[in-house]
Amino acid sequence: MLKIETITKIFSPGSINEKKAIDNLSLTLDKGEFVTVIGGNGAGKSTLLNCIAGVLETDSGKIYLGGEDITYMPEYKRSRYIGRVFQDPLLGTAFDMTIEENLAIAYSKAKTRGLAPGIRKSQSKLFREKLARLGLGLENRIQQKVGLLSGGQRQALTLLLATIVKPELLLLDEHTAALDPAASRQVMDLTRQLIMEHQLTTIMVTHNMKNALEFGSRTIMMHEGRIILDLQGRERTEMTVEKLIEHFSRKSGEVLDNDRLLLI
Amino acid sequence: MNVQVLFGSIELGMIYAIMALGVFISFRTLNMPDLTVDGSFVLGAAVSAVMCTSGHPQAALGTAFLAGCIAGSCTALLHTKLKIQPLLAGILVMLGLWSVNLRVMAGKANIPLINKTTVFNLLDGTALETYATMIIPAAIIIILMLLLYYFLKTELGLVIRATGDNEQMVRALGCNTDWTILIGLAVANGLVALSGAMIAQYQSFADITMGTGMVIIGLASVIIGEVLFGIKSLMRRLIAVVLGAMLYRLVIAAAYQLGMSPNDFKLVSALIVALALSMPVIKERYQIWKKRRENHANHLGEERKNA
Ligand SMILES: Nc1ncnc2c1ncn2[C@@H]1O[C@H](COP(=O)(O)OP(=O)(O)OP(=O)(O)O)[C@@H](O)[C@H]1O
Ligand SMILES: [Mg+2]
């Protein structure tokens, strides 16, 4: 499904600030696979996701999605196949537009937008149903502006926007990091529900070590732009948070350092 | 204010409202400070004057609109493809347009249209002839508002509006923001040019300097509309912009009647916009000041109790 071949990303090459954020990284994901990603501050997790999504161009290497070479495809075209939820709840939605309008934009994701009406009656019904499934009561607020929603509600809505047209790949970058614990749990449950329901191939960056092991079927650990640990199957089911941290120190020779890191 | 002046202001207000709708699209919908306006307004007037002179007043309006679209597209391309800041991109195109406009006007700084047929002659020979200068702008502004309302609710319109809110989100949902910005700025400047074209025919001349400060007048209209008539729904916003533009003309006319020199109008417009733009900060300061005073009063009260 997703095949990343030895990609490298260097910020400000040639200057004193030169930073190799992704270092000859390769990764292959099967269809339906759900991978969680952990790593310290500046490990290159967000950069990796941005390279896959096309926000950043890679300096070398190739990226294939569903067999197609997308290495040089612009961000907006890749988005037809890739759904994304960002860490910042403000980034996922248009705040001055209604919930319904936001959903309509997401719903026309796969086609060229023309002069047809943006919202049709039949769609409204579908949107209400989908919103009702979130269990947040948003189906009754469909005409309200998104700016009125809380962070958790926005992230739930962004998840829906990212998946209302089934994406081939879902990228989640610490999408609950800005939420309070209760909202975070709620959005996490929703995430799991949506991924299971649509059998979505997913990469989820998380700062929560427990979530990393608990969610999905595979966990990778990043350090200095490389994958230093790739856990699946039995090795993963037997892994604990303590052992994971120990593993990190051994592999990287450093103490795992992430200011948002949650160990429990 | 006599009736003639009142009617004149309303008519002018409706024509300038077309320009204000354009400014609304760039500044509010796309959230982009587009200064092309001063140039594209004159471009529309120049095209209109030249085509009126050769006897095509109606076609002049459509051509002016298209010319404005091209000007807006240039600004958009400078910004999206060459990564020049929107403010600067607009100024560059505005500057370039000065020369283009002079070329369109065949090197003359002023083209008079006295005794030329204009769109305001359309109703000649009918019972409505004397009201043509009121009816025609009214019809055009109503049609434009409806078209714009429909357009901003189409699939394309929705993504243009979202671009102003959150470009990142629009790209993440599969739409090229370079394209939405291009369409948005094209339509915005098309409207501005159309307004210039109508003004030229209304006042029977086009002048190379007639666009100076136009963007501020547009912005003042948008802000006056927002403050007085609200921003609740899209239709409400469009109506507010139009009413704002008309009110602006009425205020200017009233000031003129009260003896203010037309030379001072631009200063007053600048002050209105500066005041409106600083409103959020002023409000915040006021809240802080109020809180401090309350605290101070409480403090004094307690001291008195203690004493
Ligand atoms: N736009 C940029 N320009 C220059 N350097 C950057 C840029 N984006 C990221 N970097 C650098 O690249 C490295 C990797 O950053 P990245 O954001 O991918 O880390 P991360 O693993 O997501 O970390 P965090 O847990 O803090 O989110 C960091 O050293 C960072 O400073
Ligand atoms: Mg990150």
Side-chain angles (χ1 to χ4, degrees):
Chain A
M1 169 55 38
L2 175 72
K3 191 163 163 216
I4 298 172
E5 275 180 10
T6 56
I7 58 165
T8 297
K9 176 70 202 175
I10 302 171
F11 286 112
S12 343
S15 77
I16 34 167
N17 294 324
E18 181 171 304
K19 172 79 203 173
K20 201 182 245 185
I22 299 289
D23 185 4
N24 274 308
L25 183 147
S26 297
L27 176 69
T28 305
L29 256 70
D30 292 332
K31 201 171 158 82
E33 205 167 15
F34 179 0
V35 179
T36 57
V37 181
I38 48 176
N41 282 130
K45 306 177 297 288
S46 298
T47 306
L48 174 63
L49 260 51
N50 283 333
C51 286
I52 298 172
V55 178
L56 298 171
E57 279 182 24
T58 52
D59 294 305
S60 63
K62 291 261 173 215
I63 303 176
Y64 301 90
L65 184 64
E68 191 183 354
D69 183 352
I70 61 164
T71 316
Y72 302 108
M73 192 186 269
E75 178 188 1
Y76 77 94
K77 276 195 189 152
R78 293 189 206 192
S79 296
R80 295 182 178 184
Y81 316 110
I82 298 177
R84 271 186 285 164
V85 183
F86 314 94
Q87 180 178 336
D88 182 350
L90 300 178
L91 283 183
T93 47
F95 62 90
D96 202 25
M97 297 175 74
T98 64
I99 294 177
E100 186 178 40
E101 286 167 337
N102 273 270
L103 283 163
I105 290 172
Y107 197 64
S108 57
K109 176 171 177 169
K111 61 177 191 176
T112 308
R113 276 105 168 167
L115 295 178
I119 302 172
R120 293 189 203 93
K121 278 263 151 55
S122 55
Q123 288 175 4
S124 273
K125 195 162 156 275
L126 174 85
F127 295 163
R128 258 174 235 274
E129 280 168 21
K130 294 264 183 194
L131 284 168
R133 298 260 281 287
L134 299 181
L136 297 170
L138 295 182
E139 64 277 13
N140 303 318
R141 303 172 63 184
I142 198 155
Q143 298 294 351
Q144 285 184 17
K145 288 192 177 165
V146 170
L148 299 169
L149 302 184
S150 70
Q153 288 169 332
R154 280 195 197 196
Q155 287 306 67
L157 180 61
T158 309
L159 263 173
L160 186 54
L161 297 182
T163 55
I164 193 160
V165 173
K166 185 183 168 180
E168 291 189 32
L169 178 66
L170 180 63
L171 302 177
L172 309 169
D173 189 357
E174 302 203 44
H175 67 305
T176 62
L179 307 178
D180 64 66
S184 171
R185 205 168 314 119
Q186 199 170 22
V187 171
M188 269 310 201
D189 287 342
L190 253 169
T191 307
R192 193 196 313 247
Q193 181 194 320
L194 282 169
I195 291 173
M196 298 272 258
E197 187 181 314
H198 302 290
Q199 293 295 313
L200 299 173
T201 313
T202 306
I203 303 181
M204 177 173 87
V205 176
T206 176
H207 55 279
N208 184 321
M209 303 283 268
K210 198 158 151 269
N211 278 349
L213 291 175
E214 193 179 316
F215 283 73
S217 52
R218 181 174 169 191
T219 298
I220 62 178
M221 185 182 257
M222 286 186 67
H223 181 63
E224 289 178 347
R226 281 170 286 119
I227 295 176
I228 57 167
L229 186 67
D230 189 344
L231 286 173
Q232 358 190 6
R234 233 186 83 199
E235 200 188 355
R236 183 170 183 265
T237 37
E238 286 171 0
M239 185 56 76
T240 61
V241 172
E242 293 77 30
K243 277 201 273 181
L244 205 53
I245 291 170
E246 197 185 312
H247 225 94
F248 180 87
S249 312
R250 192 142 27 84
K251 285 259 184 182
S252 68
E254 290 172 30
V255 178
L256 185 55
D257 151 44
N258 185 324
D259 50 16
R260 290 188 299 278
L261 197 65
L262 287 180
L263 300 178
I264 33 109
Chain B
M1 196 186 291
N2 65 34
V3 176
Q4 213 176 346
V5 175
L6 182 71
F7 275 31
S9 309
I10 292 175
E11 290 162 7
L12 267 179
M14 287 191 293
I15 302 177
Y16 278 113
I18 303 172
M19 184 268 300
L21 285 175
V23 170
F24 170 75
I25 291 187
S26 47
F27 276 73
R28 286 298 189 252
T29 307
L30 278 179
N31 204 3
M32 212 164 262
D34 174 27
L35 299 190
T36 318
V37 172
D38 286 16
S40 50
F41 187 81
V42 183
L43 178 65
V47 167
S48 176
V50 169
M51 288 186 70
C52 268
T53 313
S54 60
H56 303 289
Q58 280 91 280
L61 299 185
T63 313
F65 179 81
L66 289 180
C69 289
I70 295 172
S73 305
C74 290
T75 306
L77 290 174
L78 284 179
H79 170 54
T80 56
K81 298 300 176 199
L82 303 180
K83 307 291 171 213
I84 298 173
Q85 286 170 14
L87 210 58
L88 208 49
I91 292 176
L92 288 174
V93 174
M94 176 180 75
L95 182 69
L97 277 175
W98 180 275
S99 304
V100 173
N101 294 339
L102 272 174
R103 288 229 172 234
V104 173
M105 294 164 78
K108 284 177 288 190
N110 190 295
I111 299 182
L113 294 176
I114 314 288
N115 297 328
K116 295 278 184 307
T117 309
T118 69
V119 286
F120 300 101
N121 295 111
L122 270 179
L123 301 177
D124 283 2
T126 69
L128 299 171
E129 182 173 340
T130 31
Y131 304 108
T133 49
M134 182 65 83
I135 292 173
I136 288 170
I140 290 182
I141 195 72
I142 289 171
I143 291 171
L144 284 177
M145 272 164 65
L146 291 175
L147 282 178
L148 213 50
Y149 178 73
Y150 177 80
F151 174 66
L152 290 174
K153 293 233 173 204
T154 60
E155 292 167 346
L156 181 58
L158 287 186
V159 276
I160 289 176
R161 283 161 62 201
T163 303
D165 268 10
N166 186 350
E167 283 190 39
Q168 173 72 75
M169 173 252 198
V170 174
R171 282 194 295 270
L173 293 178
C175 187
N176 188 355
T177 44
D178 290 359
W179 171 244
T180 51
I181 290 171
L182 182 94
I183 297 291
L185 287 186
V187 171
N189 284 286
L191 288 169
V192 171
L194 176 59
S195 174
M198 298 262 302
I199 287 289
Q201 297 193 20
Y202 181 85
Q203 63 189 19
S204 295
F205 70 87
D207 189 282
I208 190 72
T209 63
M210 67 195 283
T212 313
M214 206 42 75
V215 71
I216 292 303
I217 295 175
L219 201 52
S221 308
V222 169
I223 294 172
I224 292 172
E226 281 172 353
V227 171
L228 294 182
F229 307 107
I231 55 167
K232 267 231 174 78
S233 65
L234 183 59
M235 194 34 125
R236 180 92 169 256
R237 293 194 80 150
L238 294 177
I239 292 172
V241 171
V242 172
L243 292 180
M246 290 164 67
L247 204 64
Y248 178 85
R249 280 296 137 195
L250 287 169
V251 170
I252 291 289
Y256 186 63
Q257 298 263 308
L258 291 174
M260 196 169 104
S261 154
N263 294 338
D264 294 334
F265 290 168
K266 295 222 154 96
L267 177 64
V268 173
S269 304
L271 287 176
I272 292 177
V273 172
L275 187 71
L277 291 179
S278 55
M279 227 44 201
V281 178
I282 294 174
K283 261 188 199 159
E284 197 182 292
R285 286 282 150 108
Y286 175 71
Q287 294 297 344
I288 293 174
W289 176 79
K290 216 168 72 172
K291 214 181 243 160
R292 271 201 204 140
R293 241 179 56 141
E294 271 166 24
N295 285 348
H296 188 64
N298 287 344
H299 192 67
L300 279 185
E302 263 167 36
E303 268 184 0
R304 221 166 281 142
K305 240 189 286 165
N306 292 344

